[in-house]
Each structure stands twice: as structure tokens, then as C-alpha cells.
Amino acid sequence: MGRVRRIARRSFLIGSAAVVGGVAFGVWQVSRPVENPLRPERGATLNPFVIVDGDGVTVIAPRAEMGQGIHTTLAALVAEELDVEMSDLRVLHGPPAQAYYNSALLRGELRYHPEGLGGWRRVMADALGAGSRVLRLQVTGGSTSTLDGYVRMRTAGATAREALKEAAAQAHGLPRDRLATDRGHVILPDGTRIPYGDLAEAAAAVEVPEVALRPASEWRLLGRSQPRVDAVAKSTGTARYAIDVRLPGMRFATVRMCPHPRGGMARFDAARAEAMSGVDKVIDLGTGIAVVAHTTWQAMEAARAVEITWTPGPGPQTTADAFAEIEAAFDTRRNARPRDDGDVDAALEGADALSVEYRVPFLHHTTMEPMGAAALFDPAAGDGPHLTLWSGNQAPILHRDKAAEAVDLPPEAVTLHTPMMGGGFGRRAEFDFTVLAARVAQAAPGTPVQVTWSREEDMRHGFYRPGAIARMRGAVTDGRVEAFDAKVAAPSVMRQSSRRFSGFAPPGPDRAHLEGIADQPYGFASCRVEGYLCETALPVGFWRAVGNSFNGFFHECFVDELAHAAGADPLAFRLAHLDDAPSRAVLEAVAEMSDWTGATPDGIGRGVAITRSFGTPVAQVVEVADDGGGVRITRAWVACDVGRALDPAIIAQQMEGGLIQGLSAAAYEEITFDDGQVVQGNFPDYTPMRLPQGPRVAVRILESGGHMGGAGEPATPPAMPALANAVFDLTGRRLRELPLARHIRFAV
Amino acid sequence: MPVTLRVNGQRHDLDLPPGMPLLWVLRDVLDLTGTKYGCGVASCGACTVHVGGQAVQSCQLPVGDVWDEVTTIEGLGTPDAPAPIQAAWIAHQVAQCGYCQSGQIMAAAALLAEVPDPSDAEIEAALALNLCRCGTYGAIRAAVRSAADQMREA
């Protein structure tokens, strides 16, 4: 069981929550197989998850709120044990601190299939330095946040509750077990209600034994949809994002960096920009410039007016060049072969084999809040310079340390605040925007700067979901898959991000590259999956569902082709091959929800797909219609099994949101390259799905128990093949290249 | 350039560079940060405000061309006293990341002021410019519909 410790200080500053005369409760879980190297006897810092003071109860969330609703679920986990109303809680982001490491990224519990899932977590751990540095893994990703908080947030709440009861017990000379708690109060046997805040200071001085957690049968919040803790702020314009940070004397800045990946800046002439109204200064950032001005608009106008000569990068000049690099990877040494069951070659030999190639494009995250951060470099703060950052990020320790390095300060001299994030989807794990803000602030010492990227800068300086190619072969006999043979080539997200995060790339197989194709719950007579990696100068990164985002498309379109070759109904064909009960159950559920018959009238097409990623099988049926004005995505049905659903409404939001992001990518989205740079710059060129194009969506959540799967990512991978399969059903055209808008006309 | 602006019922006499879009006056001069920057080219709707009750993308409206009183999300309602459309947004738990929602709400509010009982097509047309990356479109449709019902009953 976990160790429980308290922090009790008269004044305790954490993030923006100052605890005066209050008490903060922290807890962590010693988890296996990874030892927790934090040892209190060695004086390691303990950070609180719950603060109780005169102002009430504050939950410090170890994970980033990017829209996925995690703050609400983490707060509910605390509230369940602490007996406090959700509406009386405040939730803040945790500061960079090792106690907020993501335990679930390393724990075995997410492992749902022996060969599944482990991949990206393991590589991430390598990338960030496992072993002694395991606690640097303060990362929000991999759809792990709920699992990560499941025990420790409840333990923090239970510990706080018992400490408050003990404080009341001592004050009134009663045994603790005669006291109760209810809605933020300790209740004495005579009915007297004492607010938690009144007991907080005394609670700091009591000893609390380890507390058993309440069984699920007694839960009153968990398992039921809670009002989101951020709903009011986000509906009234009062939620504060990094872009909204305003400080006295603040200046507004923007950057204009070399648009050629790994290119540079030969020279620049800022004379015209510096003469423009409201411009304070133009900063030389080596591979680009920043402009500091009185308003963001003046900064952006001036940045455009700087005359810059760029030097090209070593990367591909065009999209064709980029895909030639990927294609060439098939001729290099294989990186991984995680599956080789049965004799694929023998099964393909002589059979009427299907042999096809799929391609998916590079994609951009396009968070609605563009990249940027606010920063203040104080050159003479007490012991020396201090940097304060406000950055919406998914990896606080990483961002803080990289920013510190960039301005030549020790990490202790950097304070990083994490405000709300206007979308993340993986983009905010990268630290480039935090580092640039730090460097701009360093060049404007003593002045708080709000550094906002233009949308064009954001879109042309992404870490893109890589383009990928799959070569698939397969054979069916009597309705059964005899051979399934997949080769996937793409730039390696893991290797690139590892180099950026830690300076080296772990050698060996890149399992994340094959997640979603090597680990799917199908039983084929023979199955072989191979991965090929290409080095590229193009920046690639984590995009919602990572490797699953392309492998789900390859796998589930090809299964559809095999079903068609077998003359079978694609849904029944999948059911006949799935060897996992929860996966079959979600497929059966979606069949029932959509009244799947296998037949569609003229002008209507339906496609089905099922993928299992991040511990959660998700099945989807997508319906398209063509009324003469182009193809319209009319309806979609989603069934998932998250094992145990802590907040059904939030999970349903993630299922619908993940579906929409997948449909949007499959239908419309594509980053292309020309002249060694990204062509698309703004929404007119890279247009995600808009409201009139979105389908009506129904979601059903199954709970088979026994595991806790993710919610944020698993609905994205099946959406892309389900749509392509629906288009096949509608048009008879098997489109093996995304986005589909390259080949068919969608209704506006 | 001297400019007089009425925003959320308050008069501001400002000296601003000509051509500066209303969005940046709101955000960087008046500190009304509820209105968001998303694209700067009037193609995402995050910056939607009302000018004289009409939904306008403020990133492309030079402040000198503002013809009437401006209402921003902060002027529509507050956390303690949300406007009916905001209450519907809260009840339907629309927001995920929330960044686009100020613009969505302002576009929806302008629609309902003009069309109390909009058809699905009218809702789609009114919100077609407002991008959301989290996929909240279904919840937005539901919230607009229920706000319309509530406002007509009230």
C-alpha cells in the first residue's frame, strides 16, 4: 500500500495557491514493477494534491487540463473520499515537481494485451530517462491520467478527511471513529457541524494512520457524471489560458522563425519594422526573430515587415520528396517485427492474395489556442536572475528544464505556471514555444512579455503526425483470414522526440510505430507485422493516438478489403475473427445501436471499424450520404469499453471528440511541403471539420471491469477507416489514400 | 488616432494606431481576454463579438470602422449571472478545452436574438464559421436548441 505523508507549514506556496494557516496533503503510491525512488528519509520534496485552508478545499491536479475533463475527474476522486461538494472545490495545475510523475505511464495495469500497449510508455520512459530519473515523467499523454490518479487522488482525499476528523476529535475529547463527515464539515455526535477550514490548522499537527479506501459500492460521485469544474469559466470568457496572462507593464511579442525545418537565417533587416508604431525592439533569435511591441497586432505587423533571408534546411523540398524518404525505408533494414505467427509466406503462396498500399499524410494539431507563452525574466531577484513562465504545457518538468537551459539558469531559478490549455492533442508536450518565450523575456529583462505565435507561425512550425505508408498483403479462404502481412514505414516519432527531450534516441525496435497494427485483438491463421523507419529533417511528434492514428486506418481498411474478398459482411467478418470478449461486445453494441443490416439503400453508405488502443476497444459505424451535393457524413455510432467509467459524460465527450478529430483528419486534413517548407498556413488552407459537416453522434459506454482504459485518444483511430469504409460502401471506390477529399467531393 | 468605443456599456476614449483590429484593442488594450485570437483572417470565429447586436469577427474589423456598441462575452453575462445562452452552455457541458466557446456563444446569441426558433439549417449557417477542434459540435447544437426553447418560454 502507499505511503502517506503530510506537509504542514504555516505558509506553503504551491503554484498560485498560498496556504496560510492551512494544511496540505500529499500522497504517492509505490508502484511495481517500477520502484519509486522518492524516499522521504532522503529529504525529497513532497507535493500536495489537496490543500485545505480557510478558503476551502483546493485540489492540485497532477495532469494537464487540455479540454479532456481530467480536472473534473481528478477532483471527483478526491471529493469522493473527502466528503466535499464538487462545487466547493477549486482545481489548480500542479507545478513542475517529481511527485506529479505519471505513474500510469509506467505501470503495468494498462497492459491489456500481453504484447500490446506497453510500447510508447516504455519508449517514453527511456526517452525521459528511466530508473533514477523516472519521476521526471510528469507528462500528460497516452490516455493515462485517470488511471494515474485513480488511487492516489482518492488516498489524498481519505487522508485529509481522517486528519480533519482527528483534529476535531482531539479538540472535543472524542474518539475519531465517533465523528462523521459531510459536505465539507466534520459532524460531532451531537450534530454540531465544524467547517473543514476551521480545522485545517489543527489538522496539520495530527498523526493519521493509513486509511482504507471506500469500496465502489459506496461511491456517490464516481461512476456518475459530474458537472465539469471548468464549465462556468469556459462559458463566460473567464477561463484563463496562457495567451490571456496580463501583468502590469506587459509587452506583447511574436516570433518569426525559419520556415525551413532545420534551416537558418542568413541575415535580416529590421529597420522598417523598428520604425513602426508601438514597436519596442526586434530580437535576433539566431534562426529567426522576435518583435516586442505594445500590442500583439503591432508585433505581428512588424514581424512581417522584417526583411529576412532564410537558409534552406536539409529536408525534403516537396511532399513527393517526403514520401520518397518514407518509401525508401522499405529497402532499409527492418526495425521491428513484433508479430510473426504461423507461416505467412506459405499461406500467401499460391493463394489469390490481395496486395495493396495505403498512404496517409502529415497532419497538424491545430489547437485553437496557438502556441505561445508569457514570461518574465527578472535579472535581479534576490539570489540572482529568476525566470517565471506561464505556459500551457503537457510536461512541466521538461518545459521548465529546457527553458532554464536556454537562458542559462539552473532549474531552481525558473518558476513555471500551467494555465488552462486551448487544446493540446500532443502538441504541448513539445517545449519549443516555452523556450522561445523564455529567450524573448531574457532579451527584455524586467519586462513581462506575452509571446503569441501567429496562426501561420503555429501551422508552419508544428511537430506533425508523420506521413506513413503501409504495404499490406492478405489471403482469405472460406471466409477466414489465412494470411495477414503488414509492413509499415514512417518517420519515427519516438526517436525524434527522444532526441529532443533527452539528447539521444533509444536503439532497438520502435514499438509505438506499430501500435494499432501489431496488437489488435484479431485471431488470424497467420500474421506478420514489420516496421520500417526513416530519418527525416521534417519535425514529427505526438498527435492524438500517435501510431494508432495511422495504423488503425491501415488495419481496419484492409480487414474491410479482406471481408469484401471473402464475400462477407464486414461487421460479421470482424466478429468472426475477434478473439477478445470486450472487443466483440463493443462491436455487437455498435451493430445494435446502428441497426446494422449489412445493406444500405442507394445514396447511403455505411462503414464499420474497431480498434483497441490505450486499453480501450472502440467500435464505430459511420454513415455517409450523397444527395447530389457531395458526400455528407450524416451519422456515427460509437461503443467503447473503458473497463470502469468514472465519469460517463466526460468519457462520452472524449469519444465524440476523438471521433470528430479522426473524421476531420480522414476527410480533409493534410500538411504538404513545397520549397522545403509547409505549404498550409491558416484555416483557409488547412480546414478542420466545421459544425455543418459534423455527424449526429451516439455513444454507448460498456464497463467490463477488470481494467481501466484510456478515453482521450482511443476514439480517433477507428474513425478514419470507418469513414473510408463507408465511402467504399457508398461509391464502390476503395480509397487507400487520405485525405479522402483528394478523391471525392464532400458536401460543405 | 483618437477613438471612442463603447464596450459592454462602458465608454472608452482611446488613442490607437489606425487599422488596429478590434480584437487586439479588446485583448491587449482593454484586457478583455474572453475574446480569443485564433487565426487573424476571419476564418475560425474565436474572436466573434457583437457590434450593434450583430455577430462580427473582430480580428478583421479595424477599430475605426466599429459602427456601434460592442458586446463581448464578458458583457453577455458573468459566472454569477450567466445569460440564458451561457446557462444552456453550462447545462449541456459544451466546453472541452473551451478556447473557441466564447466565439461560439456570441455567434449563437446573435442568432437567437434575430431568430428565436431557428431551424437546424439556420443553426448550422450561423455557426458554420466557428471552428472547434475538440469536437463539441453535437453539444453546441443541443445547447442552442435548448437555449432557444428556454428563451421563448421566458
Side-chain angles (χ1 to χ4, degrees), chain A residues 228 241 244 296 653 689, chain B residues 28 36 93 96-97 133 137:
Chain A
R228 285 181 62 128
Y241 302 82
D244 301 327
T296 308
Q653 281 187 334
M689 177 175 278
Chain B
D28 293 358
K36 302 304 188 202
Q93 300 277 295
Q96 290 189 29
C97 92
R133 253 325 231 174
Y137 295 138

Side-chain angles (χ1 to χ4, degrees), chain A residues 631-707:
Chain A
V631 174
R632 186 173 293 284
I633 306 170
T634 48
R635 291 190 287 179
W637 297 266
V638 183
C640 65
D641 182 353
V642 294
R644 168 165 272 166
L646 294 184
D647 191 310
I650 286 176
I651 292 166
Q653 281 187 334
Q654 288 307 298
M655 288 297 138
E656 181 164 353
L659 166 94
I660 296 290
Q661 194 152 25
L663 293 177
S664 176
Y668 313 109
E669 296 177 28
E670 175 177 33
I671 287 290
T672 61
F673 305 92
D674 196 15
D675 191 25
Q677 54 183 311
V678 170
V679 172
Q680 292 73 21
N682 209 320
F683 295 126
D685 332 312
Y686 190 95
T687 308
M689 177 175 278
R690 294 179 183 274
L691 182 139
Q693 301 161 332
R696 307 303 165 102
V697 182
V699 177
R700 186 184 295 177
I701 300 164
L702 308 185
E703 295 182 74
S704 61
H707 77 290

Side-chain angles (χ1 to χ4, degrees), chain A residues 319-499:
Chain A
T319 310
D321 293 348
F323 275 85
E325 284 184 342
I326 298 168
E327 200 160 17
F330 285 116
D331 301 325
T332 64
R333 202 164 76 90
R334 180 178 76 230
N335 170 261
R337 183 193 273 170
R339 288 291 289 276
D340 193 8
D341 316 334
D343 194 337
V344 171
D345 290 322
L348 286 169
E349 181 105 22
D352 192 6
L354 206 58
S355 178
V356 296
E357 185 177 287
Y358 292 90
R359 289 181 180 230
V360 296
F362 290 77
L363 296 172
H364 185 243
H365 299 83
T366 324
T367 59
M368 287 307 296
E369 180 189 17
M371 294 302 112
L376 170 61
F377 188 92
D378 185 344
D383 302 336
H386 192 93
L387 173 69
T388 308
L389 292 159
W390 292 262
S391 168
N393 74 89
Q394 293 175 239
I397 296 175
L398 181 68
H399 281 239
R400 180 199 61 190
D401 291 359
K402 292 292 184 180
E405 195 182 308
V407 299
D408 206 17
L409 286 179
E412 311 84 76
V414 178
T415 304
L416 177 117
H417 301 284
T418 304
M420 280 293 167
M421 272 154 261
F425 316 122
R427 176 63 179 86
R428 295 179 193 277
E430 300 289 344
F431 51 83
D432 55 326
F433 57 95
T434 306
V435 164
L436 282 178
R439 293 179 62 200
V440 172
Q442 187 186 30
T447 302
V449 287
Q450 170 60 251
V451 185
T452 302
W453 294 21
S454 69
R455 176 58 64 189
E456 289 80 4
E457 194 71 12
D458 178 276
M459 204 171 276
R460 295 197 170 118
H461 296 84
F463 293 89
Y464 305 99
R465 198 294 301 271
I469 303 174
R471 291 180 177 165
M472 312 288 292
R473 293 190 301 163
V476 288
T477 309
D478 300 330
R480 301 291 307 178
V481 175
E482 291 300 321
F484 181 96
D485 184 30
K487 293 180 168 65
V488 180
S492 170
V493 169
M494 279 305 154
R495 289 191 171 178
Q496 264 204 23
S497 63
S498 299
R499 281 190 205 112

